[in-house]
Amino acid sequence: MTLTQDQAGSEALTQDQTESEALTQGQTESATQEPPGHGLAYRSGALRVPTRAPITVRVPPPAPAGTRAPLVAGTRAPLAEGPHAPLATGTHAPVPVETRTPVPVEARTPVPVETRTPLAVAAPYGDPEAVERYGPVFGVTEVTALDADLTRQHPGEPHGERITVSGRVVDRSGRPVVGQLVEIWQANASGRYAHRRDQHPAPLDPSFTGTGRCLTDAEGRYAFTTIKPGAYPWGNHENAWRPAHIHFSLFGRAFTQRLITQMYFPGDPLLAYDPILHTVTDQAARNRLVAAYDPQLSAPDWSLGYRWDIVLDGPEATLPEPEMTA
């Protein structure tokens, strides 16, 4: 059968439409079979645009009266007025100050002085040098007139015989040593030192410490007002007693003039029996350790006077106290 030109063109157009519909149907089936989430893909030479599931927005139902609506992203739910009762004034109980437990002062435990560990105490009647070697410690304060009067350093009058001890400090040529610091220490009238290591069973005097100091004047002179010390037992041998004495300490002008010695009193019967004094074998040197009574130094109705000069060096030097082993 022979077709006309118009019929041939119409059949060709109809065939093109049929192929186009078939291609479209193939693309739809391929897109349906492709797993989701692949992004862009190439198939049969055509660009496919993947489809995405629509986002469903859930709108919450309106809140009933008297309740708070739940918060929605990006919005703030206003507080409903009325159903919320305001806080009543005074319903919050304050914490009373009285409920705080104060710490009483009495509950604090003080540290008693007695808990401090004392120094070891020597045995009674031990070596006297264990006590006598301990000189006074005055510190760096200035020397005053009260330091030289041992009878006015405490309230009340000390017990015993008040005396004045004075003399000159000179060198071997007899020149005065000016501005020399002179320190003394001694036992009280009962023969006991105010020192914890002295356990001699004699009474202590609360009005007498037994330490003093002064500076020599332009003539090298010193002077002390004190109490005449008493004798005391010291256990060196049977019935051993030390005669009354006062310890002196001087620094001198140089290290070689450093002097620590003892002054004794005239007429003391114990001088003849004291081993310490008799370590000085020369009688003249031993006599220079004994003071002399001087009525010119005595104060009427007040004190007896004793003079004792000190020579720091040379052949007539005042000898130091002997070195004793503890």
Side-chain angles (χ1 to χ4, degrees), residues 1 4-5 24 42 52 71 75 92 97 121 132 170 174 187 210 228 243 246 258 263-264 275 300:
M1 181 178 56
T4 62
Q5 185 177 0
T24 303
Y42 292 90
R52 295 184 180 179
L71 297 178
T75 62
H92 299 279
V97 180
V121 178
E132 294 183 356
V170 297
K228 186 176 182 179
I246 298 177
R258 179 75 166 98
M263 184 204 82
Y264 298 89

Side-chain angles (χ1 to χ4, degrees), residues 32 55-56 78 89 93 95 97 102 110 112 156 177 199 242 286 304 312-313:
T32 304
I55 299 175
T56 303
T89 304
V95 179
V97 180
V177 181
Q199 297 300 299
R242 293 267 5 244
R286 198 159 56 236
L304 293 177
L312 293 180
D313 53 6

Side-chain angles (χ1 to χ4, degrees), residues 259-277:
L259 176 64
I260 299 177
T261 187
Q262 300 178 16
M263 184 204 82
Y264 298 89
F265 292 86
D268 192 333
L270 294 176
L271 294 178
Y273 303 96
D274 184 46
I276 295 179
L277 177 61

Side-chain angles (χ1 to χ4, degrees), residues 61-79:
T67 62
R68 291 184 179 179
L71 297 178
V72 182
T75 62
R76 295 184 180 179
L79 295 177

Side-chain angles (χ1 to χ4, degrees), residues 165-314:
V165 179
S166 182
R168 297 180 68 222
V169 179
V170 297
D171 59 14
R172 65 171 61 200
S173 301
R175 295 175 300 182
V177 181
V178 181
Q180 176 67 202
L181 177 64
V182 182
E183 300 172 331
I184 65 171
W185 64 98
Q186 64 172 84
N188 62 14
S190 300
R192 184 170 180 179
Y193 291 92
H195 194 283
R196 69 185 67 185
R197 297 192 65 175
D198 188 353
Q199 297 300 299
H200 170 42
L204 289 170
D205 189 347
S207 299
F208 187 78
T209 304
T211 60
R213 62 178 180 172
C214 71
L215 296 175
T216 56
D217 60 14
E219 297 180 354
R221 194 174 304 278
Y222 72 91
F224 291 99
T225 301
T226 184
I227 297 296
K228 186 176 182 179
Y232 57 83
W234 62 295
N236 180 70
H237 53 275
E238 184 180 0
N239 201 23
W241 289 75
R242 293 267 5 244
H245 61 278
I246 298 177
H247 297 266
F248 276 73
S249 170
L250 301 93
F251 285 91
R253 290 172 174 165
F255 178 77
T256 55
Q257 292 182 334
R258 179 75 166 98
L259 176 64
I260 299 177
T261 187
Q262 300 178 16
M263 184 204 82
Y264 298 89
F265 292 86
D268 192 333
L270 294 176
L271 294 178
Y273 303 96
D274 184 46
I276 295 179
L277 177 61
H278 282 270
T279 57
V280 180
T281 57
D282 181 55
Q283 182 64 45
R286 198 159 56 236
N287 292 340
R288 289 195 295 270
L289 297 177
V290 181
Y293 170 69
D294 189 347
Q296 299 297 325
L297 296 176
S298 299
D301 302 326
W302 184 251
S303 67
L304 293 177
Y306 292 89
R307 177 176 46 81
W308 190 55
D309 295 333
I310 302 173
V311 182
L312 293 180
D313 53 6

